[in-house]
Amino acid sequence: NAGVMQNPRHLVRRRGQEARLRCSPMKGHSHVYWYRQLPEEGLKFMVYLQKENIIDESGMPKERFSAEFPKEGPSILRIQQVVRGDSAAYFCASSRDRVDNEQFFGPGTRLTVL
Amino acid sequence: AQSVTQPDIHITVSEGASLELRCNYSYGATPYLFWYVQSPGQGLQLLLKYFSGDTLVQGIKGFEAEFKRSQSSFNLRKPSVHWSDAAEYFCAVLANAGGTSYGKLTFGQGTILTVHP
């Protein structure tokens, strides 16, 4: 009964490159959430997705960031042209539905931008 | 918009002592409330949650929390702390309407717990 899977666990990119972070939700979960934990800051919501739909992207930076959750396969958080300020831990969570929402978190992807 | 305040950034206790971590929230209606724990370099593990009903909720690892609507608080307690409890603790609130959540967890800044032997 696997939990939320994230890969890679650690990702190093140079400024200007693209970063792709993957998240496989728990079995039976169709809701996915991405959060970012910046150094010296708390966890901040980025985006909430259901299969093939973005429900709430109010926490996503307006440029360079995008997210998808296709019908088949994992959810992807994509960061284009990374900058040093993107260095952070990115956590994915999943839930079964929106009623009595309980979110289970993955181990995170730690992105370092050189 | 909802918000969460954890007034204590860092707390140090001796092993075996009791613990209380404070959490205050701001939200217009009755929120869904959570406590998560994060060990260094790890993800978040859910300790306990409050949706409705009994205001004293029991969680894993011997933790409990009490929802007090009049004080807008959801403090986490443990009667006797173990060295393995050293970690960072996050309180979170989830806005909801009629039992359907809005999906977005709002977290407090976290409280780092250090346990002395």
Side-chain angles (χ1 to χ4, degrees):
Chain A
N1 193 11
V4 178
M5 311 276 283
Q6 288 188 251
N7 66 82
R9 293 291 306 275
H10 299 272
L11 182 61
V12 179
R13 285 288 179 265
R14 297 191 180 279
R15 281 178 295 168
Q17 291 184 319
E18 178 180 286
R20 280 185 182 240
L21 288 63
R22 294 176 202 77
C23 169
S24 297
M26 285 181 67
K27 187 176 180 180
H29 288 192
S30 59
H31 297 244
V32 165
Y33 314 82
W34 287 93
Y35 295 85
R36 179 166 64 173
Q37 188 173 35
L38 287 161
E40 307 303 320
E41 294 189 23
L43 283 140
K44 305 291 185 188
F45 167 82
M46 299 181 75
V47 63
Y48 167 24
L49 309 108
Q50 269 185 280
K51 287 282 187 181
E52 299 183 280
N53 284 306
I54 295 175
I55 307 300
D56 181 354
E57 56 182 346
S58 60
M60 288 278 270
K62 293 290 184 267
E63 297 176 351
R64 302 187 297 107
F65 285 73
S66 62
E68 63 177 6
F69 188 18
K71 187 176 180 181
E72 301 291 337
S75 174
I76 306 286
L77 179 67
R78 182 182 179 206
I79 311 172
Q80 294 178 289
Q81 298 173 342
V82 296
V83 301
R84 289 218 174 102
D86 297 332
S87 295
Y90 292 82
F91 291 96
C92 169
S94 73
S95 71
R96 188 179 303 279
D97 55 39
R98 291 182 70 171
V99 178
D100 285 353
N101 181 299
E102 180 175 336
Q103 297 179 25
F104 294 83
F105 281 77
T109 293
R110 280 150 183 84
L111 173 65
T112 301
V113 180
L114 301 178
Chain B
Q2 63 269 24
S3 66
V4 178
T5 302
Q6 293 180 245
D8 304 305
I9 297 173
H10 198 164
I11 282 185
T12 300
V13 300
S14 297
E15 191 169 17
S18 63
L19 172 70
E20 182 169 31
L21 302 182
R22 296 183 290 164
C23 171
N24 292 96
Y25 69 90
S26 172
Y27 180 58
T30 300
Y32 292 165
L33 293 160
F34 305 81
W35 275 99
Y36 285 89
V37 61
Q38 184 182 29
S39 297
Q42 303 298 313
L44 282 81
Q45 181 181 22
L46 179 67
L47 285 176
L48 47 78
K49 62 185 179 184
Y50 173 77
F51 286 167
S52 64
D54 193 347
T55 57
L56 184 64
V57 293
Q58 303 296 322
I60 62 171
K61 303 184 179 185
F63 285 93
E64 66 177 26
E66 186 171 11
F67 170 62
K68 293 185 177 179
R69 183 192 303 274
S70 61
Q71 298 176 20
S72 296
S73 69
F74 188 56
N75 294 347
L76 182 71
R77 300 194 293 250
K78 186 170 185 178
S80 178
V81 170
H82 188 262
W83 65 266
S84 61
D85 294 324
E88 189 163 15
Y89 292 79
F90 292 94
C91 181
V93 64
L94 183 64
N96 72 91
T100 297
S101 81
Y102 287 97
K104 177 172 76 173
L105 277 169
T106 299
F107 286 88
Q109 285 294 95
T111 298
I112 297 171
L113 174 66
T114 298
V115 181
H116 280 166

